[in-house]
Amino acid sequence: QVQLVESGGDSVQVGGSLRLSCAVSGYTVTDDCVGWFRQAPGEEREGVASFDNDGTTTYTDSVKGRFIISRDSAKNTLYLQMNNLKPEDTAMYYCAAATLCGGGVPSPAEMVAWGQGTQVTVSS
């Protein structure tokens, strides 16, 4: 059964940190394409960070140096450590998976399975 369950979203102040978690079943975080996406109100969903099938990590430019994607093979869980948060990081964050994806941060259209999302709100 395919299931992705995110947790860890919260409201924080500018400069704060959060760690999101995504418990995955039906895909393997160390073999499949897995990543984090976000969608702010009125905006399109965008890729934030991902592991491709070779384990290469990629980040969208706006989070480079602040966010770190990681994974735990024993727990089959994906993480997103978010540091130095900014108001523009406010969004619903989703994890997603696919058997294959291309290079770079995948587009949402490439992903097959999605979690329900966890809200991150950054206030100044």
Side-chain angles (χ1 to χ4, degrees), residues 54-123:
D54 295 327
T56 300
T57 57
T58 55
Y59 298 88
T60 193
D61 287 346
S62 63
V63 307
K64 286 180 180 177
R66 300 188 298 121
F67 291 11
I68 301 171
I69 189 171
S70 63
R71 57 193 178 179
D72 184 325
S73 59
K75 297 180 179 180
N76 207 35
T77 297
L78 188 69
Y79 301 98
L80 185 67
Q81 177 67 41
M82 305 186 295
N83 300 318
N84 190 21
L85 283 160
K86 304 176 180 181
E88 51 264 42
D89 296 317
T90 295
M92 185 72 79
Y93 283 72
Y94 301 88
C95 66
T99 303
L100 291 172
C101 59
V105 177
S107 71
E110 294 183 72
M111 310 308 284
V112 175
W114 292 86
Q116 82 287 352
T118 187
Q119 179 68 38
V120 173
T121 302
V122 185
S123 57

Side-chain angles (χ1 to χ4, degrees), residues 11-65:
S11 296
V12 296
Q13 292 190 329
V14 169
S17 297
L18 284 174
R19 189 175 84 150
L20 305 183
S21 300
C22 176
V24 178
S25 58
Y27 287 87
T28 304
V29 297
T30 51
D31 293 333
D32 293 314
C33 176
V34 289
W36 289 96
F37 296 75
R38 66 186 179 186
Q39 187 168 19
E43 302 289 332
E44 292 187 355
R45 192 169 296 188
E46 66 168 347
V48 176
S50 64
F51 281 101
D52 69 13
N53 299 96
D54 295 327
T56 300
T57 57
T58 55
Y59 298 88
T60 193
D61 287 346
S62 63
V63 307
K64 286 180 180 177

